[in-house]
């Protein structure tokens, strides 16, 4: 095969957002004036949808569980997911607006956001279909993305569903969309305690733990039940922490265009590495390369083209773990 579909089916469960991005934006013009910019794009984004697109680009069979509105923006999200190779057939359409964000991207890649919560805010346990539940229970892996941005969803219901899937042999990863605090962490608890790997960014991790030290914060997550923590740290790379591991992986040297979706790219690559049987540090190298690639273009679906591209970048690294990851990925791609 020329992709990674042999690794099984992944379900991305969580938030689905239409991002509308423009760059570079240095100022908002006054009154009804306008400015010319270089690029405008629309992408399927959010901690579930964005990760699913990156997984599909790497050749993974991925199905999405979540909700969108019954508006034209929802139609557009479905079109974008389908075009990327994601199975969007399980998404439920709720009356009202699809979640959407306007992102004026600054020249340095930063991304202030104007957001409408839409369907993500009203999606609840009664909206979960039997087909969605069955997909989760039969998946090889489940990525729970943005549960913190789904206030109507009962975490206990998702926790029970994920726990059953895990007993069936599924690998479970989890990421969040927003910054939070200890109250947010408590709300995530029913799912976090059934999660193999929690993958927030550094700011999110420190906020949830209400502390200033990354290792201390990671240990708070382990105490809450997570099997391990893979925290992204921007230009510092990432750090992988379990009860017996504390490893840092450096970031790639890249020209940053837009940091939107870099965490989703990391999540996709890290999950793929784990499914390939790599140790956590080697899997984090795959995640780091995927996250770095996303930053080279506009939008959460930018940068990543194929597993072969990721393998080439891993092989270009001097670290033995990166090259071992490249070798394992290529074995599966060439099988």
């Amino acid at each position: 095969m020329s992709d990674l579909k042999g690794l099984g089916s992944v379900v991305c469960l969580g938030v689905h957002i239409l991002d509308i991005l423009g760059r570079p934006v240095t100022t908002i013009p006054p009154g009804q004036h306008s400015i010319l910019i270089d690029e405008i794009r629309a992408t399927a984004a959010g901690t579930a949808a964005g990760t699913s697109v990156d997984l599909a680009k790497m050749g993974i069979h991925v199905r999405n569980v979540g909700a969108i509105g019954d508006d034209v923006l929802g139609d557009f999200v479905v079109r974008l997911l389908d075009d990327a190779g994601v199975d969007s057939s399980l998404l439920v359409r709720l009356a009202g607006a699809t979640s959407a964000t306007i992102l004026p991207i600054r020249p340095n890649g930063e991304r202030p956001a104007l957001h409408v919560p839409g369907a993500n805010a009203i999606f609840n346990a009664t909206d979960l279909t039997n087909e969605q539940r069955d997909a989760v229970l039969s998946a090889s892996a489940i990525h729970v993305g943005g549960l913190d941005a789904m206030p109507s969803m009962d975490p206990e219901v998702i926790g029970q569903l994920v726990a059953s899937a895990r007993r069936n042999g599924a690998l479970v990863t989890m990421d969040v969309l927003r910054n939070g605090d200890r109250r947010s962490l408590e709300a995530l608890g029913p799912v976090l305690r059934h999660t193999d790997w929690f993958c927030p960014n550094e700011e999110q991790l420190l906020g949830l733990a209400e502390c200033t030290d990354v290792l201390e914060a990671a240990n708070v997550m382990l105490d809450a039940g997570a099997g391990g923590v893979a925290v992204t740290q921007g230009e510092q790379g990432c750090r992988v922490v379990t009860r017996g591991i504390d490893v840092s992986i450096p970031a790639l040297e890249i020209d940053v265009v837009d940091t939107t979706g870099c965490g989703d790219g990391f999540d996709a690559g890290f999950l793929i590495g784990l499914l390939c049987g790599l140790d956590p540090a080697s899997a984090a190298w795959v995640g780091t390369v995927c996250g770095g690639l996303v930053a080279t273009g506009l939008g959460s679906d930018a940068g990543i083209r194929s597993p072969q591209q990721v393998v080439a970048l891993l092989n270009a690294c001097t670290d033995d773990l990166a090259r071992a990851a490249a070798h394992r990925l290529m074995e599966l791609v060439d099988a």
Side-chain angles (χ1 to χ4, degrees), residues 27-37:
T27 185
I28 303 297
Q32 298 188 60
H33 291 255
S34 63
I35 58 173
L36 298 180
I37 59 177

Side-chain angles (χ1 to χ4, degrees), residues 167-181:
R167 286 193 293 271
N168 291 341
L171 174 71
V172 179
T173 60
M174 182 179 181
D175 199 352
V176 290
L177 184 65
R178 301 170 175 167
N179 296 331
D181 53 22

Side-chain angles (χ1 to χ4, degrees), residues 134-212:
D134 290 344
V136 172
L137 293 175
S138 62
S140 299
I142 300 130
H143 177 67
V144 181
L147 183 63
D148 57 312
M150 301 166 66
S152 298
M153 181 59 71
D154 184 352
E156 291 285 354
V157 171
I158 301 301
Q160 292 168 13
L161 187 59
V162 166
S164 296
R166 201 170 178 220
R167 286 193 293 271
N168 291 341
L171 174 71
V172 179
T173 60
M174 182 179 181
D175 199 352
V176 290
L177 184 65
R178 301 170 175 167
N179 296 331
D181 53 22
R182 282 293 184 116
R183 289 178 61 189
S184 309
L185 177 59
E186 183 177 348
L188 294 172
V191 181
L192 191 62
R193 60 176 169 261
H194 301 297
T195 296
D196 294 293
W197 286 95
F198 184 45
C199 305
N201 65 39
E202 182 174 349
E203 185 176 4
Q204 291 165 338
L205 176 67
L206 296 177
L208 288 168
E210 294 187 356
C211 66
T212 58

Side-chain angles (χ1 to χ4, degrees), residues 264-322:
D264 301 336
F266 176 87
D267 293 344
F270 184 61
L271 177 53
I272 287 170
L274 295 173
L275 287 174
C276 287
L278 294 173
D279 64 88
S282 298
W285 267 107
V286 184
T288 296
V289 167
C290 289
L293 282 170
V294 170
T296 63
L298 182 63
S300 60
D301 65 348
I304 300 172
R305 297 191 303 273
S306 68
Q308 291 86 348
Q309 172 204 27
V310 173
V311 165
L313 285 173
L314 287 167
N315 272 325
C317 298
T318 58
D319 190 281
D320 289 341
L321 291 177

